[in-house]
Amino acid sequence: MLNLTCKWKNMLSRTNIGEFEEIVILTIGVLGENAYGHSIKLEIEKRLKRAVSMGALHTGLYRLEEKGYLESRLGEVTNVRGGKPKRFFKVTASGQKAVKNAMDSRKKLWDSIPEGVFKLFPAK
Amino acid sequence: MNLPPKILYWLLDSICPTDRQDLKGDFIELYHYRCNNSGRLKANAGFIRDIITTIPLTWIIKKKKTNQRIPFMLLAHMKTARRTLVRNKMYSFINVTGLSVGLSACLLITLFVRDELSFDKQIKDYERIYRISGNYQQGVDSRVSSAATTFLLQPLLQEKLSGVEASSRVEFRFDEITAENKDYLQSDIAYADSTFFDIFSLPFIHGNPASALDDPTQVVVDRETALKFFGEENALGKSITMKDKHFTISGVIENMPANMHFFAHVIFPISGIKQWYADWVFSNISGRSVYTYVKVMKDHDVGKLENQCNGILKANWPQKDGVPQLILQPITSIHLGPAMQGETKPNGTETDVYIFCITAIIILLLACINYINLSMAAALPRSKEAGIKRVLGSTVRMMLGQFQTESFLVLVISGLIASCIMDVYADA
């Protein structure tokens, strides 16, 4: 029981993020001012050649915003989208820290791989 | 601009959380984009697929909503409801008064009807207890129904009748009783056989119901009378005097409920007081002086029992004709049944109960109509308020909640007033 509660606490206060979340944050960074639901989806599909479902994307966005890695504002109402506003996303400081942290930890691991183990990519 | 078909749009509306308008916009934009790239058919399929993948998101968002929004909204509604009620004082006064008067009348009638219908139902085994009443010949062909029977009937029945668990005679009088050197004019005195408590299992506070009336010098009083005579509940073993004869208290019972067809404060054994009876009581079988109760055994045929009773009476009747017709009356039918000669308490009537029921329904209906009428009249000038709220972004559901909270507040206030009124008049 104690073990389980500890695990929960870890999950709640974690600063590391999932792979998909990382991609979403980075894509928002790539798009800059023009990052809203549809453009993020198109950008990921275009750059990474992987299909993104609306549900997964919006759930991810909602969760990230809840955790404070993203912030959003509603844009102007235009006729193009059936009179619905766009929600523009911006990466917060803690979001930036989180992706940097993710990248650093991977880099650390990459650098510690001994020579000759990954034969396809020999370390320099 | 390619727009999705209406049915898909409706599907999206029903699934999408209302405060996520941007999500809808994304869906529409994506649809347009897909139409241009790969045609309507694929766009439709993709639309449906995406809606399905969005369902988990709606759960996540809705869960948060119920946690935070509703108490807040309710508070806001209460606030505005209070303000409107205070502002339109005349309207709220009429509304609350009308509703509370209607409600209290309805509640009072319900109480009365419930009381009438509950008569004798709290006695244990009430469905097996019957009162023997008779239809007597009077003059040549006029007959009269009487609740009382002859003093001689019960011993005859006890001797010859089978299928009866217990039978008892009861009579009610008032008399002067002396207790601790003080005289009281005591009403509601019962004279009963020792089997009385076998039939009516009244709750005893002190004493043993099985032997309480066995001895001619014993007497049972209720709690109220014990307090009146001796100033304490436990009056066991103390003595009271009636007509210079001493009686010892052998039991104290709870005060009898008001919804029984008879009532007694003090219960004397018949064996102890029969020396004061007139001679005709013991000899005249056509006399009518006591009530006779029987408790029938479980699942015994009452019709057969009634015939047996009549047979026994006929066999002991001195003349050939003029034998009264005995009737076994279930005690629950006594209060609302036809009034007979010599009833112990004034009867109610079944028609009265029905009339009161209908009256209560009509009063309630009128109160409702009055309330609806007033609220509708008051709602018309408030269309401006509704319009402004709508412009400021409240949904239809919010507006409904607002008006319902107002009605609810009025109802709670008038309900409270009605229960106060009921409380004041219920004892009367």
Side-chain angles (χ1 to χ4, degrees), chain A residues 1-56:
Chain A
M1 198 61 215
L2 191 76
N3 200 8
L4 202 71
T5 45
C6 284
K7 223 172 167 183
W8 265 106
K9 266 185 191 164
N10 274 338
M11 279 173 80
L12 287 174
S13 63
R14 67 186 180 142
T15 49
N16 48 340
I17 47 176
E19 184 256 356
F20 183 67
E21 287 171 326
E22 193 182 343
I23 288 171
V24 169
I25 293 177
L26 290 172
T27 315
I28 290 169
V30 170
L31 286 167
E33 288 293 303
N34 191 32
Y36 67 97
H38 187 236
S39 72
I40 297 169
K41 180 172 147 71
L42 283 189
E43 196 69 20
I44 296 175
E45 282 172 354
K46 196 176 86 191
R47 284 180 186 264
L48 304 181
K49 306 273 182 300
R50 64 188 259 184
V52 180
S53 79
M54 286 289 269

Side-chain angles (χ1 to χ4, degrees), chain A:
Chain A
M1 198 61 215
L2 191 76
N3 200 8
L4 202 71
T5 45
C6 284
K7 223 172 167 183
W8 265 106
K9 266 185 191 164
N10 274 338
M11 279 173 80
L12 287 174
S13 63
R14 67 186 180 142
T15 49
N16 48 340
I17 47 176
E19 184 256 356
F20 183 67
E21 287 171 326
E22 193 182 343
I23 288 171
V24 169
I25 293 177
L26 290 172
T27 315
I28 290 169
V30 170
L31 286 167
E33 288 293 303
N34 191 32
Y36 67 97
H38 187 236
S39 72
I40 297 169
K41 180 172 147 71
L42 283 189
E43 196 69 20
I44 296 175
E45 282 172 354
K46 196 176 86 191
R47 284 180 186 264
L48 304 181
K49 306 273 182 300
R50 64 188 259 184
V52 180
S53 79
M54 286 289 269
L57 178 67
H58 275 272
T59 313
L61 288 171
Y62 184 81
R63 283 260 155 89
L64 283 171
E65 198 178 346
E66 223 180 17
K67 287 177 197 159
Y69 294 152
L70 295 180
E71 57 188 18
S72 71
R73 61 176 177 86
L74 285 180
E76 296 282 311
V77 175
T78 54
N79 253 342
V80 193
R81 285 156 55 88
K84 309 292 185 218
K86 291 174 182 172
R87 186 185 289 272
F88 290 106
F89 288 94
K90 229 173 91 183
V91 184
T92 61
S94 62
Q96 290 167 25
K97 265 182 217 158
V99 270
K100 181 80 169 62
N101 190 22
M103 195 176 72
D104 285 349
S105 49
R106 281 175 203 205
K107 189 142 192 340
K108 241 187 261 170
L109 289 174
W110 261 115
D111 290 345
S112 334
I113 293 172
E115 216 166 318
V117 177
F118 278 16
K119 292 209 167 94
L120 261 181
F121 308 101
K124 284 161 210 160

Side-chain angles (χ1 to χ4, degrees), chain B residues 306-321:
Chain B
E306 200 173 88
N307 290 339
Q308 279 177 336
C309 286
N310 278 312
I312 291 168
L313 188 68
K314 199 167 183 184
N316 289 278
W317 200 257
Q319 294 106 23
K320 260 233 154 107
D321 49 350

Side-chain angles (χ1 to χ4, degrees), chain B residues 186-216:
Chain B
Q186 181 64 47
S187 60
D188 300 310
I189 295 175
Y191 301 155
D193 278 316
S194 59
T195 45
F196 179 72
F197 292 112
D198 298 340
I199 299 178
F200 300 100
S201 51
L202 301 168
F204 267 66
I205 306 173
H206 302 290
N208 178 11
S211 59
L213 294 176
D214 282 358
D215 197 86

